[in-house]
């Protein structure tokens, strides 16, 4: 195979930061617009590589839903190191570089007509939000929508106002919990698994979309199966160190699979036999 | 395949002619006796009889450090960098051609790596049948004793003063005939080349993995939990030498630096390796392969199974470079595969 043009595999294209909004102490929402005026054309669960020149490049899940003709998209990013700190310091109007969208995604076609159980731990809500918003936009095409959301403590909750709005809706349900409450917290207390007994589901008709910290998968897949959800209905998203996003650099490997190409969204059955997955 | 017979004295003028257009690299023995591919000079003495070149040839396609972008900091814009000098590698052994063929497939799979592709396409590869086999090599046992793609010309010495030269590509033929027509090889010459290849293979067969190499992926699958990983990795210094010298390892890191005037800068990739402790480290200090054992096992699984699952070949061509590079003597894939195989046979 010979590349027909001079388009570099690693060259980002320009996008502009149009809006920034604080979601918690460490997490902010960033709205970008592609300079080429085209929609990102991502699928829920996919990620992009974001470049801040002179600082570096890092992978981030797209948190907004795909929308034809809309050149804007959102990332929600936690401050944790070089690139993420620099991103939080950017002023609106600044140019960045993006590559992608990359990777696998939640099979929205397959979920059609079925119920979806979202299991979100902490920042795992960021990529799941893309799927949730997609389904809400195409509400008629999906069955019940049930969201289980766990956060370490109330201070770390993100999208607080938007979640409050979603809780008002009658066409979906959200069950939220925090591991450690503060004095103002009136909701559930306990790890995310304590939410499972609270929901009634029709297991054969339910698909699961689960994203959270590595440890969460170990504790949440069991309860899903205990409820009778077939393992082939469970989808998870796994994050690894990523440098290329294209299956070349080797950093994101989970046994023989590349989390950037075969993932980040995996069918549970495909990764269950892999010792490095969860 | 068309073949020509080329006399020894014909070669220096050919190299001289090629060097006008290409950066020509040939195997040369240095003062310490190590053979390395070095830029050809009229005075260069080609190490025709070398057993293995100290450094692999991946650096010609995937340099240890390669710029990918030049950026302008004020404007926040970037331009791709794709350098691909015309180069001719003369005297490459079949196992090393095989390693390059593997990189070709892996870099092209899915989204093609254009930086790699361009360098590869700017390269003429001249293969050479080895005269000697390194004591550490085991290439004939892992399917890397012969290649039929990936080179432009293939030299086999059939007498002290002549070579049997197969040409595979139009470019190869054009370059070989650049100083005028050459005699087509005769049937006896072809037979002589065949015998030469068979003789060197017989020598190489003395050292090798003790079972058919296609069984390796299944063997690996049975041994994820083998005590071997911990026992061997106990001695691992996590230095990464074994992956740096390997012709088939291609993992890289991407980093960047600003120029001193802070107006611009570059993003570059750099060789990286799964044996290095920070390879799978992410934010929050979470390491997906925290122990030397995890990383050590990963390297062998990559060689013995993961790469095989992608391209149907072992990710090891048996050159023996890693065996030589490892100061604690644990990096030998042949030894590991054979130990696992034996463990099975003792159990059954
Ligand atoms: C598919 C995917 C989606 C992600 N989505 C989000 C998201 O929506 N929001 C968010 O806040 N974070 C997300 N992350 C994590 C985010 O990529 C890291 O927090 C980020 O790379 C840290 O970079 P840094 O330079 O700020 O940190 P540093 O610690 O300075 O990182 C240095 C380098 O290490 C690597 N690295 C460190 N941590 C990670 C990590 N967790 N994942 C991958 N590479 C890492 C990066 O290559 C980075 O350049 C995602 C990661 C992946 C793999
Ligand atoms: S693993 Fe060792 S023997 Fe095999 S190709 Fe790499 S360096 Fe050569
Ligand atoms: S060369 Fe040897 S000591 Fe160094 S990382 Fe490889 S196996 Fe470990
Ligand atoms: S990020 Fe480079 S292989 Fe997946």
């Amino acid at each position: 195979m010979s590349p027909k043009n001079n388009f570099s595999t690693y060259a980002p294209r320009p996008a502009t930061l149009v809006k920034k909004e604080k979601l918690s102490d460490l997490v902010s929402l960033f709205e970008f617009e592609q300079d080429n005026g085209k929609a990102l054309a991502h699928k829920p669960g996919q990620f992009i590589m974001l470049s801040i020149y002179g600082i570096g490049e890092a992978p981030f899940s797209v948190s907004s839903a795909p929308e034809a003709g809309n050149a804007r998209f959102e990332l929600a990013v936690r401050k944790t190191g070089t690139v993420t700190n620099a991103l939080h310091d950017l002023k609106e109007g600044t140019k960045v570089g993006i590559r992608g969208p990359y990777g696998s995604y939640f099979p929205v076609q397959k979920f059609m007509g079925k119920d979806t159980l979202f299991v979100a731990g902490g920042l795992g809500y960021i990529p799941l939000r893309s799927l949730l918003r997609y389904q809400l936009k195409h509400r008629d095409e999906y069955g019940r929508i049930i969201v289980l959301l766990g956060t370490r403590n109330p201070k770390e909750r993100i999208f607080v106002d938007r979640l409050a709005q979603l809780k008002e809706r009658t066409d979906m349900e959200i069950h939220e919990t925090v591991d450690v409450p503060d004095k103002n917290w009136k909701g559930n207390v306990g790890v995310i698994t304590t939410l499972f007994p609270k929901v009634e589901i029709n297991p054969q008709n339910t698909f699961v979309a689960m994203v959270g910290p590595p440890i969460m998968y170990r504790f949440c897949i069991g309860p899903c199966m205990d409820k009778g959800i077939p393992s082939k209905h469970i989808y998870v998203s796994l994050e690894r160190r990523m440098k290329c996003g294209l299956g070349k650099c080797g950093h994101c490997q989970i046994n023989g699979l590349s989390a950037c190409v075969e993932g980040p969204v995996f069918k549970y059955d495909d990764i269950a036999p892999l010792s490095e997955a969860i | 395949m068309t073949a020509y017979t080329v006399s020894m004295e014909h070669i220096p003028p050919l190299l001289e002619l090629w060097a006008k257009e290409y950066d020509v690299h040939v195997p040369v023995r240095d003062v310490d006796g190590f053979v390395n591919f070095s830029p050809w000079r009229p005075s260069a003495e080609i190490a025709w009889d070398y057993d293995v070149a100290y450094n692999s040839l991946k650096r010609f396609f995937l340099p240890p450090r390669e710029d990918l972008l030049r950026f302008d900091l004020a404007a926040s814009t970037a331009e791709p960098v794709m350098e691909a000098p015309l180069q001719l590698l003369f005297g490459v052994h079949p196992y090393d051609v095989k390693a390059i063929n593997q990189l070709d497939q892996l870099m092209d799979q899915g989204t093609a790596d254009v930086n790699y592709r361009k360098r590869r396409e700017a390269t003429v590869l001249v293969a050479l049948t080895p005269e000697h086999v390194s004591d550490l090599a085991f290439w004939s046992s892992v399917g890397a004793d012969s290649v039929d793609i990936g080179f432009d010309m293939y030299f086999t010495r059939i007498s002290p003063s002549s070579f049997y030269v197969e040409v595979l590509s139009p470019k190869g033929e054009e370059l070989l005939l650049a100083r005028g027509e050459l005699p087509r090889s005769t049937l006896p010459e072809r037979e002589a080349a065949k015998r030469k290849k068979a003789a060197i293979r017989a020598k190489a067969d003395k050292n090798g993995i003790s079972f058919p190499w296609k069984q390796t992926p299944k063997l690996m699958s049975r041994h994820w939990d083998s005590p071997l990983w911990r026992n061997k990795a106990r001695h691992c210094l996590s230095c990464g030498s074994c992956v740096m010298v390997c012709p088939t390892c291609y993992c890289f890191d991407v980093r960047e630096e600003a120029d001193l005037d802070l107006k611009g800068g570059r993003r570059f990739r750099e060789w990286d390796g799964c044996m290095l402790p920070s390879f799978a480290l992410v934010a929050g200090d979470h390491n997906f392969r925290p122990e030397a054992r995890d990383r050590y096992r990963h390297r062998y699984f990559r060689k013995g199974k993961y790469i095989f699952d992608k391209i149907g070949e072992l990710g090891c061509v048996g050159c023996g470079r890693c065996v030589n590079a490892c100061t604690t003597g644990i990096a030998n894939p042949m030894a590991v595969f054979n130990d696992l195989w034996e463990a099975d046979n003792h159990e059954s």
Side-chain angles (χ1 to χ4, degrees):
Chain A
M1 186 179 21
S2 168
K4 300 270 175 303
N5 53 35
N6 271 351
F7 179 73
S8 157
T9 320
Y10 298 102
R13 52 187 192 279
T16 306
L17 175 61
V18 289
K19 208 166 135 220
K20 220 166 114 175
E21 176 190 339
K22 211 168 158 71
L23 296 178
S24 73
D25 277 356
L26 292 177
V27 182
S28 288
L29 184 67
F30 300 86
E31 189 176 19
F32 293 95
E33 182 167 337
Q34 293 216 86
D35 287 12
N36 64 14
K38 290 188 185 149
L40 187 60
H42 66 290
K43 305 227 169 57
Q46 284 193 304
F47 67 96
I48 61 155
M49 297 295 289
L50 178 94
S51 285
I52 302 176
Y53 297 119
I55 307 289
E57 191 180 40
F60 299 101
S61 306
V62 183
S63 191
S64 48
E67 193 181 309
N70 185 356
R72 295 192 173 196
F73 64 93
E74 291 170 346
L75 307 179
V77 176
R78 180 173 189 271
K79 251 170 125 123
T80 177
T82 350
V83 174
T84 50
N85 284 333
L87 176 61
H88 279 253
D89 291 342
L90 289 189
K91 295 196 176 58
E92 287 168 4
T94 310
K95 291 213 181 302
V96 298
I98 60 168
R99 296 193 283 131
Y102 292 137
S104 61
Y105 42 86
F106 292 104
V108 286
Q109 307 284 89
K110 219 185 238 170
F111 286 16
M112 268 184 195
K114 308 283 191 212
D115 301 344
T116 312
L117 176 66
F118 289 79
V119 182
L123 301 186
Y125 184 69
I126 296 169
L128 285 176
R129 180 172 171 259
S130 177
L131 175 63
L132 177 63
R133 290 179 39 138
Y134 178 87
Q135 291 193 336
L136 291 177
K137 261 187 203 170
H138 302 85
R139 190 64 193 91
D140 301 347
E141 293 166 18
Y142 295 91
R144 290 174 64 203
I145 293 176
I146 307 158
V147 180
L148 309 185
L149 172 59
T151 313
R152 260 196 302 223
N153 57 58
K155 254 179 72 143
E156 289 185 24
R157 291 174 68 230
I158 53 176
F159 296 109
V160 176
D161 299 343
R162 291 172 179 85
L163 285 171
Q165 282 172 15
L166 289 179
K167 281 176 186 167
E168 302 288 308
R169 288 178 75 130
T170 52
D171 60 351
M172 63 173 289
E173 32 181 302
I174 298 192
H175 302 269
E176 221 192 320
T177 185
V178 298
D179 297 358
V180 185
D182 60 13
K183 44 185 188 311
N184 298 323
W185 179 250
K186 302 209 172 52
N188 295 300
V189 174
V191 292
I192 190 162
T193 44
T194 59
L195 295 176
F196 281 84
K198 298 187 196 297
V199 293
E200 284 290 328
I201 55 162
N202 171 2
Q204 291 303 324
N205 198 47
T206 302
F207 276 88
V208 176
M210 186 184 293
V211 192
I215 186 93
M216 195 191 82
Y217 299 100
R218 267 179 240 160
F219 294 108
C220 289
I221 299 214
C224 290
M225 309 232 264
D226 291 345
K227 280 196 165 294
I229 300 173
S231 62
K232 62 172 194 283
H233 282 190
I234 302 176
Y235 286 80
V236 300
S237 176
L238 303 181
E239 291 178 6
R240 291 294 184 274
R241 189 184 181 99
M242 290 184 183
K243 287 296 184 171
C244 69
L246 297 165
K248 313 286 184 210
C249 76
H251 282 275
C252 70
Q253 270 205 290
I254 301 173
N255 295 90
L257 301 180
S258 300
C260 65
V261 174
E262 282 97 0
V265 178
F266 292 96
K267 195 201 275 189
Y268 174 64
D269 278 352
D270 292 340
I271 52 143
L274 304 182
S275 9
E276 291 186 338
I278 52 185
Chain B
M1 214 180 296
T2 320
Y4 297 89
T5 298
V6 181
S7 69
M8 185 63 116
E9 70 251 29
H10 194 74
I11 292 171
L14 258 187
L15 287 167
E16 191 169 351
L17 190 65
W18 296 343
K20 292 199 166 101
E21 197 183 345
Y22 294 87
D23 294 340
V24 175
H25 296 265
V26 297
V28 177
R29 191 164 272 114
D30 70 15
V31 282
D32 300 314
F34 293 115
V35 171
N36 228 328
F37 277 76
S38 315
W40 176 83
R41 289 193 186 77
S43 61
E45 191 153 333
I46 296 174
W48 292 107
D49 62 343
Y50 82 99
D51 53 4
V52 62
Y54 192 77
N55 290 308
S56 92
L57 297 156
K58 69 178 170 192
R59 68 181 187 279
F60 291 106
F61 312 102
L62 196 63
R65 177 180 159 154
E66 174 182 41
D67 283 355
L68 298 174
L69 295 180
R70 285 272 334 156
F71 46 74
D72 179 322
L73 285 171
S76 271
T77 52
E79 285 300 320
V81 179
M82 284 176 282
E83 278 165 20
L86 287 179
Q87 51 191 5
L88 186 149
L89 308 180
F90 183 84
V92 185
H93 286 169
Y95 51 84
D96 272 342
V97 178
K98 185 100 174 178
I100 296 165
N101 289 345
Q102 288 196 355
L103 292 182
D104 287 352
Q105 291 180 71
L106 293 160
M107 293 311 247
D108 275 356
Q109 231 169 41
T111 307
D113 189 300
V114 179
N115 290 74
Y116 175 92
R117 240 314 107 208
K118 289 206 177 276
R119 286 186 194 271
R120 183 65 176 95
E121 276 167 12
T123 305
V124 172
L125 219 82
V126 184
L128 171 71
T129 299
E131 301 275 328
H132 284 109
V133 183
S134 147
D135 290 342
L136 306 174
F138 52 97
W139 40 261
S140 76
S141 69
V142 289
D145 51 332
S146 68
V147 277
D148 32 51
I149 55 163
F151 55 88
D152 296 279
M153 295 170 242
Y154 194 150
F155 279 56
T156 302
R157 198 163 183 172
I158 48 170
S159 81
S161 61
S162 66
F163 293 86
Y164 173 82
V165 182
E166 296 152 271
V167 292
L168 187 69
S169 68
K171 187 92 227 169
E173 183 144 45
E174 183 195 316
L175 285 168
L176 188 66
L177 303 181
R179 294 187 64 249
E181 272 303 317
L182 288 166
R184 294 278 176 119
S185 296
T186 61
L187 197 58
E189 284 164 341
R190 190 167 83 202
E191 290 304 316
K194 244 194 200 160
R195 281 196 303 276
K196 188 69 188 257
K197 287 182 186 177
I200 196 71
R201 189 174 307 130
K203 263 195 221 169
D205 281 343
K206 296 206 173 92
N207 196 32
I209 60 172
S210 52
F211 56 93
W213 62 268
K214 288 197 174 156
Q215 308 236 7
T216 318
K218 282 202 184 114
L219 173 72
M220 298 305 285
S221 299
R222 293 197 292 271
H223 286 287
W224 179 263
D225 292 317
S226 166
L228 176 142
W229 309 122
R230 189 174 295 283
N231 291 342
K232 293 243 190 191
R234 235 199 303 268
H235 307 286
C236 180
L237 309 170
S238 298
C239 65
S241 304
C242 48
V243 290
M244 297 300 154
V245 299
C246 180
T248 65
C249 278
Y250 57 95
C251 288
F252 57 85
D253 193 13
V254 178
R255 302 201 295 129
E256 59 199 65
E257 64 188 18
D259 296 339
L260 286 176
D261 64 8
L262 293 179
K263 286 193 179 126
R266 65 196 66 220
R267 177 172 297 166
F268 55 93
R269 64 172 159 197
E270 223 171 31
W271 288 356
D272 202 347
C274 60
M275 295 298 278
L276 298 168
S278 65
F279 190 72
L281 183 71
V282 297
D285 268 346
H286 187 83
N287 195 330
F288 287 96
R289 277 183 221 101
E291 316 247 355
R293 181 197 61 160
D294 306 325
R295 301 187 289 271
Y296 184 82
R297 174 171 58 193
H298 183 70
R299 169 169 175 255
Y300 291 96
F301 266 79
R302 222 169 131 111
K303 302 273 163 228
K305 176 162 169 47
Y306 305 153
I307 297 289
F308 185 98
D309 290 346
K310 283 178 194 259
I311 60 172
E313 290 175 1
L314 288 188
C316 166
V317 296
C319 67
R321 289 183 176 97
C322 57
V323 189
N324 190 36
C326 180
T327 41
T328 67
I330 53 164
N332 188 343
M334 179 186 78
V336 167
F337 296 151
N338 281 347
D339 282 359
L340 293 177
W341 182 259
E342 240 175 69
D344 268 358
N345 291 349
H346 286 157
E347 275 158 28
S348 59

